[in-house]
Amino acid sequence: MTKSSAVLFILIFSLIFKLEELRAALVLVVLLIAGGLFMFTYKSTQFNVEGFALVLGASFIGGIRWTLTQMLLQKAELGLQNPIDTMFHLQPLMFLGLFPLFAIFEGLHLSTSEKIFRFQDTGLLLRVLGSLFLGGILAFGLGFSEFLLVSRTSSLTLSIAGIFKEVCTLLLAAHLLGDQISLLNWLGFALCLSGISLHVALKALHSRGDGSPKPLKGLGSNPDLELLLRSSQPGEDEYEEEEEYFVAQRQQ
């Protein structure tokens, strides 16, 4: 339930860094999704202050992370529009940040495990390495798709897509594991889906509005036209040289 505040933090930081414009429809979308997810995951649990603080801090830092990522991806001067370039520069730093935690909490257990370093069964070792390799491929695909989505849309859209994934996970848990869903949970589910649908509709209308013809502001505002003119310049120079050659022949 606390994790549902992540989309609120992303909206706040997007407004602070002027990545989004403050609109009533946008605020309504975020409130519907956050409130719906809170209601959908609401149940009687034992409250823990430490866990609440950790999850709330993670949501806060996640909002900063994806907002700054959007600024990096959508800033043309940095040249990081390609998700592969972004991952090339960010993944080493992420590895350096996670490796000390891995060494502290899992290093000793992994180094003494009979499944990897002290293996006795080669088949088991190959299965473990294959699972790690498959997990690495899936993690790379997930990171690539996240950076691609942020570069083309916004960090808010990525957060909403993640919430849709969480809703699907909770529905599968109810269907496969027998989790009980109350009427309040179903109302939250309806609110969450209505907020997601409204966001998709607003994005579609915004994209259609951007696709309408606009007055020309000069050649510098249209990179495709500028590239076309640049590619046509060599042909024009050759035509001028041929014309000068024929004029010189006639004068002789």
Side-chain angles (χ1 to χ4, degrees):
M1 291 185 291
T2 309
K3 192 178 177 182
S4 62
S5 62
V7 66
L8 296 174
F9 286 117
I10 290 180
L11 175 62
I12 291 172
F13 286 112
S14 297
L15 294 175
I16 291 175
F17 293 111
K18 298 181 180 180
L19 297 176
E20 298 281 353
E21 296 180 0
L22 182 59
R23 303 189 304 271
L26 186 62
V27 176
L28 178 62
V29 165
V30 171
L31 291 179
L32 283 175
I33 293 175
L37 186 61
F38 182 87
M39 294 169 59
F40 188 53
T41 56
Y42 180 80
K43 54 185 177 181
S44 298
T45 57
Q46 184 178 0
F47 181 78
N48 183 279
V49 177
E50 183 180 358
F52 173 77
L54 287 175
V55 176
L56 190 64
S59 299
F60 179 82
I61 295 174
I64 298 178
R65 174 200 176 193
W66 285 114
T67 304
L68 295 179
T69 301
Q70 180 182 349
M71 294 177 64
L72 288 176
L73 288 170
Q74 297 182 358
K75 198 168 185 179
E77 294 82 0
L78 299 177
L80 296 178
Q81 289 84 358
N82 192 323
I84 300 295
D85 292 335
T86 306
M87 296 177 69
F88 177 79
H89 289 86
L90 292 183
Q91 292 293 349
L93 297 176
M94 295 171 65
F95 172 79
L96 292 177
L98 289 176
F99 186 79
L101 298 176
F102 158 75
I104 294 173
F105 294 104
E106 300 181 0
L108 181 61
H109 174 72
L110 184 64
S111 62
T112 58
S113 174
E114 295 182 356
K115 294 182 179 180
I116 299 183
F117 292 105
R118 298 176 59 191
F119 71 95
Q120 298 177 356
D121 186 2
T122 306
L124 178 61
L125 175 65
L126 293 177
R127 286 195 297 271
V128 171
L129 294 179
S131 301
L132 292 175
F133 183 72
L134 178 61
I137 293 177
L138 293 176
F140 176 82
L142 175 64
F144 178 84
S145 60
E146 287 177 339
F147 287 132
L148 181 63
L149 182 62
V150 172
S151 65
R152 299 296 177 86
T153 55
S154 66
S155 55
L156 187 62
T157 301
L158 175 66
S159 177
I160 292 175
I163 289 174
F164 181 75
K165 179 261 299 180
E166 292 181 5
V167 169
C168 293
T169 303
L170 293 170
L171 287 177
L172 287 175
H175 179 71
L176 299 177
L177 303 178
D179 293 351
Q180 298 295 324
I181 298 181
S182 64
L183 178 60
L184 181 64
N185 299 143
W186 283 117
L187 290 175
F189 174 71
L191 282 177
C192 199
L193 282 187
S194 62
I196 294 174
S197 302
L198 180 59
H199 177 74
V200 172
L202 291 174
K203 279 290 182 182
L205 292 176
H206 182 70
S207 300
R208 186 178 300 177
D210 290 343
S212 59
K214 298 178 180 180
L216 294 177
K217 297 181 181 179
L219 299 180
S221 62
N222 194 333
D224 295 333
L225 180 58
E226 184 178 356
L227 181 61
L228 180 62
L229 290 176
R230 288 181 179 177
S231 61
S232 64
Q233 283 179 357
E236 294 176 357
D237 294 340
E238 293 177 359
Y239 177 76
E240 292 177 358
E241 291 178 358
E242 292 178 357
E243 185 177 1
E244 292 176 357
Y245 174 76
F246 285 119
V247 170
Q249 291 291 332
R250 289 179 181 179
Q251 291 177 354
Q252 291 177 358

